[in-house]
Amino acid sequence: MNNGYVDLHCHSTASDGTLPPAEVVRLARDGGLAGIALTDHDTVGGIAEAAAEAQRLGLAFLTGIEISCEYPHPGTMHILGYGVDPNSATLRDLTTRLLEGRDNRNPKIINRLNELGVFITMEEVEQEAKAAPDSKKPIGRPHVAAVLLRKGYVSSIKQAFDKYLAPGGLAYFDKERLTMRQAMEMIRESGGMPVLAHPLQLRTQSDAELERVIKDLKDLGLIGIETIHSDHDAALVEKYTRLADRFGLLKTGGSDFHGSNKKDIRLGVANGRRIPFSYMESLLKRHQELRRAG
Ligand code: AMP
Ligand code: ZN
Ligand code: FE
Ligand code: FE
């Protein structure tokens, strides 16, 4: 039994974090963490590098991905897929579809910005994301925000979202998303375990509504809830922990580290709280059981 700490929710340069996958793992080691799961948006492109570094440094490692689903405004539903097999054909289909959704959206954002007299180009955004023009890297609003900041159109990433990129902003466009059923099915078919990320962001209006959502997800194969997250204060952690226990779901936790794209978040620390190794151990154990059950 390991009584250290882990981080089960973090992003690298494979999506919209600012540190390469191996550096995220090294930072975890330097911070004294015993294990890590990399959960980039819409891609497993960073997994091989992170897994190799974790093995080299002796950290427990779990594959992961974070997927946004269709969900009524103003909420957002993100599903984490732990233990997905990066080589699964379903996962390749999944990530291809998610990337197409982004490819359709990004030019709309940039055209609208140009119409507003904000002159940035797709090439600049790709450079910011360090993505080759036809690469499989998910380019998102944080990359656009970083270009807006660098060129002096805004004074912070937050302002870029508030003024232009967030819902209600001048250049907001949604991307095509999967339904929650599709996301759940594809994660499971990829050998993964679906977990509801940061339930606060669902912005449910009542406990009854939140419980309904969790029940629906559980019927689709949900195995856990992210109880510890940088957005959750102590009261919320307690509330989501009670819900997880009541629904027979595992508890997970992570910082949602993005490097300098989210300046106030430190790897391994979620709103002052650490994530016990036992949370990762439970996921690893469940993964083994599922694989044995075939
Ligand atoms: P996208 O994948 O392009 O839809 O962008 C989602 C990313 O943008 C997530 O990593 C969020 O953390 C980040 N994001 C969303 N809203 C904001 C905001 N208001 N301020 C800063 N980052 C945000
Ligand atoms: Zn992100
Ligand atoms: Fe998220
Ligand atoms: Fe995230």
Side-chain angles (χ1 to χ4, degrees):
M1 181 71 190
N2 188 317
N3 43 27
Y5 296 99
V6 300
D7 197 326
L8 301 173
H9 188 158
C10 54
H11 298 265
S12 75
T13 49
S15 66
D16 59 357
T18 56
L19 292 183
E23 278 184 39
V24 175
V25 175
R26 283 198 283 279
L27 191 62
R29 193 270 316 263
D30 293 347
L33 298 185
I36 188 166
L38 186 68
T39 54
D40 275 306
H41 303 280
D42 300 354
T43 184
V44 288
I47 292 292
E49 181 184 316
E53 190 66 4
Q55 188 172 23
R56 199 174 73 83
L57 298 175
L59 263 70
F61 185 80
L62 189 57
T63 63
I65 189 167
E66 182 176 20
I67 295 170
S68 323
C69 309
E70 278 179 17
Y71 194 75
H73 186 76
T76 53
M77 178 186 278
H78 291 179
I79 302 288
L80 295 159
Y82 288 114
V84 289
D85 171 4
N87 300 315
S88 128
T90 305
L91 194 70
R92 261 200 300 278
D93 289 349
L94 173 64
T95 50
T96 304
R97 261 175 86 166
L98 295 169
L99 283 175
E100 281 168 5
R102 289 176 179 278
D103 288 346
N104 290 333
R105 174 178 68 163
N106 289 327
K108 290 187 208 160
I109 295 176
I110 289 167
N111 287 339
R112 176 61 54 81
L113 286 170
N114 291 346
E115 283 165 17
L116 293 166
V118 175
F119 297 111
I120 70 166
T121 64
M122 193 62 214
E123 289 67 38
E124 288 171 316
V125 176
E126 281 166 356
Q127 265 167 26
E128 181 62 42
K130 298 180 181 67
D134 57 353
S135 79
K136 296 254 188 287
K137 168 159 179 161
I139 296 177
R141 290 174 292 162
H143 303 118
V144 178
V147 175
L148 292 175
L149 178 60
R150 181 166 54 75
K151 295 185 82 175
Y153 285 113
V154 293
S155 56
S156 66
I157 297 284
K158 181 178 180 328
Q159 198 197 2
F161 273 90
D162 289 347
K163 184 165 182 196
Y164 295 111
L165 302 173
L170 295 169
Y172 175 72
F173 289 91
D174 204 359
K175 58 179 184 277
E176 207 186 296
R177 291 164 200 271
L178 300 182
T179 64
M180 75 184 198
R181 177 182 298 273
Q182 289 169 325
M184 300 287 293
E185 279 174 357
M186 292 183 97
I187 288 171
R188 294 172 70 201
E189 274 176 34
S190 310
M193 304 178 287
V195 167
L196 175 62
H198 42 60
L200 180 68
Q201 291 183 22
L202 296 169
R203 299 218 212 172
T204 44
Q205 297 300 305
S206 66
D207 288 351
E209 188 188 345
L210 175 59
E211 287 170 29
R212 218 161 32 241
V213 175
I214 291 174
K215 161 123 193 5
D216 288 347
L217 285 169
K218 188 167 181 196
D219 289 343
L220 294 170
L222 191 76
I223 66 111
I225 298 180
E226 187 174 52
T227 55
I228 302 178
H229 181 271
S230 293
D231 289 351
H232 301 166
D233 62 17
L236 284 173
V237 173
E238 207 179 294
K239 169 176 165 163
Y240 298 141
T241 299
R242 271 199 310 270
L243 272 174
D245 290 345
R246 186 141 65 75
F247 279 87
L249 294 164
L250 298 180
K251 299 172 281 276
T252 76
S255 63
D256 216 346
F257 176 80
H258 280 70
S260 58
N261 275 343
K262 289 194 184 175
K263 283 201 170 48
D264 36 2
I265 293 182
R266 239 179 75 204
L267 191 68
V269 183
N271 198 357
R273 194 177 288 262
R274 310 253 266 161
I275 300 101
F277 188 83
S278 62
Y279 284 21
M280 181 172 195
E281 212 169 30
S282 303
L283 279 172
L284 290 166
K285 188 161 158 251
R286 177 66 60 86
H287 199 226
Q288 270 180 3
E289 288 164 6
L290 288 170
R291 273 199 295 204
R292 238 180 275 133

